[in-house]
Amino acid sequence: MSAPQKITYREALREALRAALAADPRVFLMGEDVGRYGGCYAVSKGLLAEFGEARIRDTPLSESAFTGAGIGAALGGLRPIVEIMTVNFSLLALDQILNNAATLRHMSGGQVSVPLVIRMATGAGRQLAAQHSHSLEGWYAHIPGIKVVAPATVTDARHMLAAALADPDPVIVFEHVMLYNAEGELEPVDAVPLTGAAVRRPGNDLTLITYGGSLPKVLTAAEQLAADGIEAEVVDLRCLRPLDDATIMASAGKTRRAVIVDEGWRSGSFAAEISARIVEQAFYDLDAPPARVCSAEVPIPYAKHLEDAALPQVTDIVAAARGVLGRG
Amino acid sequence: MALPDQDTALALLRQMLRIRRFEDRCAQLYSAGKIRGFLHLYNGEEAIAAGIIPLLDAKDAILATYREHGHALARGVDMGAVMAEMYGKQEGCSRGRGGSMHLFDAGTRFYGGNAIVAGALPLAVGLALADKLQNRAHVSVCFFGEGAAAEGEFHESLNLAALWQLPVLFVCENNLYAMGTALVRSEAETDIHLKARSYGLHSAAVDGMDLLAVREAATVAIGHVRAGNGPYLLECHTYRFRAHSMFDSQLYRDKAEVAQWQARDPIDLYERELLNLGLIEAGSRAALEAEVEAEVEAAVAFAEAGTWEPVEQLTRDVYTQPAA
């Protein structure tokens, strides 16, 4: 058997796009700089030459119009992939995402559906300051009618796009900016489901719950804890809507302690939702209140030391883990 | 342009009467508490839907706003299903999930019913893109009010449609008031069709109270789009005879202005024109009115007899398959 292939998250996404475009003539990619420039984060580099301008479509800086056009194209029988440069810019398209993509099926009594995939970058860590660094995927996970996924590994990045395209409803794929250069082993699988959390590391002492760009930090924290004799189980949510309660509760019920790590702001965060669900569903199994490690309540700053201080870091995760174990 | 033949001429008069009577009945039913929510009536604007929609092919797509009853009826969406939707019954064209502002009918390619003022414009661009990429000679027609011209989506959509030379017909129903704000109080350039030209679209303005003029202008516009010459914007000057919605006491416009426009009622104007042309006789309208009234009453009876969707089905149609 050959050794597992190591590729970057960016390459995994590009491979996923290429495979999707090759497999189905209805699939096309549209967004700012996706064509001639090769993608703001170089994900679509080379695809214009391979698939042509009709299917790799550069758009004006018009998030609302091209996202809405993606919805219309989906209604018209195509399988559009809309790329939005960063989650901050997606707010310009929020009307189309919430009022149309997420809503048309229900509002029409089930007559139309919107098989649209929207990809966008999220998260901080590249000193891009407040208007390019936020983590708003929890806001999108609030909305019924869409699915929200956040692949954290190269294998998920490679395969979740295909699952998203096969889904008859709109799916938003969040790609954390700090993952694009990350290398990982591409597991020899043919498909990854769109929904369902994954246990990335087994353990019995506490559960660390996270997703997307925080997963590498959480795995590092788990290793540091292991060096101290604490075995953390790491749950990667992968899909924020619908949420895989069963995996979360099975793990939290087993370890009796949970720490949720989320790069969103603490107040009203997605971590707050996870925490509430654990309390609602597994309260009597717990030995400690669930803890949260979130971003500081501040627009993400530019300066490196301040940006680092605002974000969940490995030391914060280790400290929170020790806290729920009473070993702080 | 050639005048419509006698049958078509009568059918168009009948279509306007259907819309007018339907809307008047809706107003009564609203007062009676049978219809709730927001209700935006189309009285006075009938010549636009009736002038344009019958010119389209069955495969063309139509999108409209929250004032879309007339467009749905002109498109051939069943009047009973539309009325049942007003009632919120599951026999409604959107299963009672949409109400007055969100009529949908996939069978006639009627994609709403959008209550966000410029929200349907990008969708029309996308539907047209799908047609172009799949080599279909369809036209996507998007109806919206002049208030939409103040939204960024209007400008983004016109630019995108022109940039990609997409088969979209944008129809601006300029009734002079965005809710209660007059066009002159909200726009520096009040000729909406001139805005389109700055994006490279062909455009025209037409008297929206004159059905034959609308029909003629629309024939040109649809022909332009269907021939692959790119998008087109048609601005129709019109006026709504009723308030913006049932909650509006119309303090922002004076009665003289309303009366002035009502003197140019599009149905009366058209009837007079047909009489002058000898295409109808004196009693023709009365006969049509009786037919239309019967159809409206049958629609009301259908809605009355409709049923409430079981609450157990509340979460259906959020996703195509039930969420896990």
Side-chain angles (χ1 to χ4, degrees):
Chain A
M1 196 176 125
S2 61
Q5 190 191 353
K6 268 207 156 194
I7 61 169
T8 65
Y9 188 85
R10 171 184 294 109
E11 288 163 347
L13 290 166
R14 188 184 303 138
E15 223 14 78
L17 286 171
R18 179 180 285 124
L21 286 155
D24 186 344
R26 298 174 304 171
V27 173
F28 71 100
L29 174 70
M30 127 171 104
E32 292 156 1
D33 276 351
V34 299
R36 196 65 67 87
Y37 187 87
C40 303
Y41 289 96
V43 169
S44 50
K45 201 164 186 185
L47 297 182
L48 176 62
E50 198 172 339
F51 295 99
E53 295 206 352
R55 300 183 68 199
I56 307 295
R57 307 185 74 88
D58 281 319
T59 63
L61 310 184
S62 303
E63 285 82 359
S64 193
F66 70 70
T67 303
I71 298 166
L75 292 173
L78 297 177
R79 291 292 177 272
I81 304 169
V82 167
E83 178 178 311
I84 296 179
M85 187 176 160
T86 175
V87 67
N88 288 83
F89 302 171
S90 78
L91 301 183
L92 292 161
L94 187 55
D95 162 53
Q96 286 296 332
I97 296 171
L98 170 55
N99 285 318
N100 283 331
T103 308
L104 285 172
R105 180 167 186 84
H106 188 78
M107 213 162 60
S108 68
Q111 289 185 79
V112 301
S113 58
V114 182
L116 168 71
V117 175
I118 302 173
R119 299 172 39 237
M120 62 177 101
T122 187
R126 295 170 64 118
Q127 288 193 261
L128 299 177
Q131 292 178 346
H132 287 73
S133 298
H134 289 147
S135 292
L136 306 178
E137 51 275 6
W139 289 8
Y140 286 97
H142 180 64
I143 304 170
I146 56 177
K147 291 176 182 164
V148 177
V149 301
T153 67
V154 296
T155 306
D156 282 2
R158 169 63 186 82
H159 292 292
M160 285 180 93
L161 181 74
L165 282 166
D167 196 280
D169 298 313
V171 180
I172 305 185
V173 181
F174 284 96
E175 303 164 5
H176 196 287
V177 293
M178 294 306 282
L179 292 176
Y180 284 125
N181 287 329
E183 277 201 341
E185 286 179 0
L186 182 61
E187 294 162 34
V189 296
D190 292 331
V192 168
L194 193 62
T195 56
V199 175
R200 300 295 183 192
R201 184 188 195 283
N204 287 312
D205 296 328
L206 82 155
T207 300
L208 296 173
I209 300 165
T210 194
Y211 65 89
S214 297
L215 180 65
K217 291 176 181 175
V218 168
L219 289 169
T220 302
E223 279 170 34
Q224 291 184 11
L225 290 164
D228 235 1
I230 299 168
E231 292 300 332
E233 182 149 292
V234 175
V235 172
D236 173 7
L237 296 172
R238 297 207 284 196
C239 185
L240 308 189
R241 174 178 276 272
L243 201 51
D244 178 3
D245 278 357
T247 300
I248 297 168
M249 299 316 150
S251 181
K254 179 180 76 172
T255 67
R256 313 178 82 83
R257 293 172 172 85
V259 174
I260 306 123
V261 182
D262 172 11
E263 210 176 295
W265 293 298
R266 184 182 182 86
S267 300
S269 61
F270 196 70
E273 172 67 23
I274 306 281
S275 176
R277 289 192 187 210
I278 292 171
V279 169
E280 285 166 349
Q281 297 177 49
F283 182 81
Y284 295 108
D285 294 330
L286 297 179
D287 285 340
R292 285 185 283 158
V293 181
C294 297
S295 283
E297 307 270 320
V298 59
I300 304 299
Y302 160 71
K304 177 85 167 81
H305 68 297
L306 295 177
E307 185 184 46
D308 285 348
L311 301 175
Q313 300 295 351
V314 173
T315 51
D316 304 319
I317 301 164
V318 169
R322 297 184 68 89
V324 298
L325 285 157
R327 292 167 63 171
Chain B
M1 170 185 147
L3 289 168
D5 61 44
Q6 193 164 8
D7 287 349
T8 305
L10 266 173
L12 296 176
L13 179 60
R14 185 171 184 280
Q15 194 62 265
M16 286 203 287
L17 290 169
R18 286 177 81 227
I19 297 169
R20 178 68 59 89
R21 294 306 156 227
F22 183 87
E23 297 293 57
D24 286 344
R25 195 71 171 97
C26 281
Q28 288 171 355
L29 291 164
Y30 196 90
S31 301
K34 296 283 189 180
I35 299 174
R36 297 282 79 192
F38 277 135
L39 183 69
H40 311 89
L41 301 176
Y42 197 58
N43 300 50
E45 306 187 23
E46 296 90 344
I48 302 169
I52 297 173
I53 292 173
L55 297 172
L56 298 172
D57 292 344
K59 296 284 189 186
D60 293 334
I62 297 178
L63 303 98
T65 67
Y66 48 83
R67 195 183 305 285
E68 86 284 26
H69 307 168
H71 308 90
L73 294 176
R75 184 52 168 178
V77 183
D78 179 73
M79 189 187 281
V82 175
M83 187 60 91
E85 190 60 34
M86 303 293 161
Y87 274 63
K89 298 285 179 73
Q90 62 182 339
E91 291 79 7
C93 62
S94 304
R95 288 190 66 86
R97 300 304 178 95
S100 162
M101 298 189 286
H102 307 298
L103 306 177
F104 283 84
D105 184 47
T108 57
R109 301 204 76 210
F110 191 79
Y111 294 109
N114 200 308
I116 308 297
V117 70
L121 277 80
L123 303 186
V125 169
L127 281 159
L129 177 62
D131 286 334
K132 180 161 179 163
L133 290 181
Q134 294 172 102
N135 299 311
R136 297 183 300 229
H138 303 164
V139 177
S140 293
V141 185
C142 185
F143 294 88
F144 54 93
E146 86 292 340
E151 296 277 356
E153 279 184 330
F154 168 86
H155 301 273
E156 292 185 20
S157 298
L158 263 56
N159 178 55
L160 210 52
L163 181 72
W164 290 346
Q165 287 292 288
L166 299 177
V168 189
L169 173 59
F170 297 101
V171 179
C172 178
E173 301 181 317
N174 181 356
N175 66 19
L176 296 173
Y177 291 90
M179 296 187 288
T181 298
L183 185 57
V184 291
R185 293 174 63 83
S186 61
E187 288 288 311
E189 171 56 76
T190 54
D191 283 320
I192 309 298
H193 64 285
L194 295 183
K195 295 174 193 280
R197 292 190 190 162
S198 72
Y199 293 106
L201 276 80
H202 289 265
S203 69
V206 66
D207 177 0
M209 309 307 264
D210 181 341
L211 183 138
L212 291 177
V214 171
R215 190 174 157 90
E216 184 172 349
T219 301
V220 171
I222 293 166
H224 171 99
V225 174
R226 205 183 298 285
N229 296 318
Y232 195 105
L233 186 141
L234 182 62
E235 178 182 2
C236 303
H237 293 291
T238 186
Y239 200 78
R240 57 172 157 74
F241 292 167
R242 287 182 174 271
H244 168 69
S245 75
M246 298 300 281
F247 296 112
D248 169 11
S249 52
Q250 302 196 68
L251 301 175
Y252 49 84
R253 62 185 192 182
D254 54 53
K255 291 194 170 83
E257 181 187 287
V258 179
Q260 197 183 341
W261 280 89
Q262 278 175 334
R264 300 197 66 243
D265 185 311
I267 303 179
D268 296 344
L269 283 182
Y270 182 60
E271 182 194 10
R272 277 205 293 278
E273 197 147 13
L274 294 185
L275 284 167
N276 287 341
L277 291 164
L279 286 170
I280 61 171
E281 294 162 11
S284 298
R285 177 169 174 172
L288 288 175
E289 296 263 23
E291 268 178 56
V292 163
E293 191 180 337
E295 187 190 7
V296 171
E297 291 317 307
V300 173
F302 177 77
E304 287 282 348
T307 52
W308 304 112
E309 183 168 353
V311 171
E312 293 69 37
Q313 295 184 29
L314 175 66
T315 58
R316 68 173 273 169
D317 295 328
V318 176
Y319 296 96
T320 301
Q321 288 110 18

